[in-house]
Amino acid sequence: MNALLFLPRRLYRVLVWLANSPRKLLLSYALLIVVCAVLYQQFEDRTFGDSVWWAVVTASTVGYGDISPQTWQARLMAGILISAMVLLVIPLITAHFASKLIVNNDAFHHEEQEELKENLRMTRALIEEMAARQGITLTSEGSAGPPAAPSDR
């Protein structure tokens, strides 16, 4: 069973590695365009410029139709390129930029959290000391018990 999951897990790790860096993501996009252009050039016997144009138009899913694959190899590669762009590259780019936009600037950093914890410990110790001076018994959670109900009768 682990042998069957090896490839999907590896692919997932590569995708996470790519998604965490805009440079790697853009480099992989450019590499995908160049590789597909070179393959298209070989399969369709076109110039490199036409092949790059085809790869960019196809990857962007615009598909002008001015250049289209005729061989089955180029059509298969076009299907893979379109699928990779729509299912992987575009969502990864969108997710990366969305994660950068959704940053909680009010979130505490680790040092601030540790400082707050220390301040709470000191505050609790002071409250317990004050309660002991006044003879108030604190519950196990560190807070005073509920006040006694006033006696009306």
Side-chain angles (χ1 to χ4, degrees), residues 28-117:
S28 65
Y29 169 74
L31 186 63
L32 182 65
I33 294 296
V34 169
V35 167
C36 287
V38 168
L39 290 173
Y40 188 82
Q41 180 184 15
Q42 296 299 316
F43 294 146
E44 295 289 315
D45 196 31
R46 297 280 190 141
T47 65
F48 185 70
D50 282 347
S51 299
V52 170
W53 173 251
W54 171 85
V56 169
V57 168
T58 302
S60 65
T61 68
V62 172
Y64 291 126
D66 56 346
I67 301 174
S68 60
Q70 301 303 315
T71 63
W72 70 268
Q73 298 97 331
R75 288 181 180 184
L76 177 65
M77 186 197 43
I80 293 170
L81 177 60
I82 292 169
S83 299
M85 291 303 296
V86 171
L87 297 175
L88 298 174
V89 178
I90 293 171
L92 286 176
I93 292 170
T94 304
H96 178 77
F97 286 117
S99 71
K100 294 299 179 190
L101 292 174
I102 306 172
V103 173
N104 186 357
N105 292 329
D106 297 328
F108 291 110
H109 298 288
H110 177 71
E111 296 80 19
E112 293 170 321
Q113 290 175 351
E114 293 302 317
E115 181 182 351
L116 285 171
K117 284 194 244 179

Side-chain angles (χ1 to χ4, degrees), residues 113-125:
Q113 290 175 351
E114 293 302 317
E115 181 182 351
L116 285 171
K117 284 194 244 179
E118 184 57 33
N119 288 344
L120 284 173
R121 285 186 201 101
M122 291 184 338
T123 304
R124 174 173 275 175

Side-chain angles (χ1 to χ4, degrees), residues 2-17:
N2 283 337
L4 293 174
L5 295 177
F6 176 77
L7 188 60
R9 286 180 182 158
R10 194 72 171 158
L11 181 62
Y12 175 76
R13 287 184 189 139
V14 168
L15 289 176
V16 169
W17 178 77

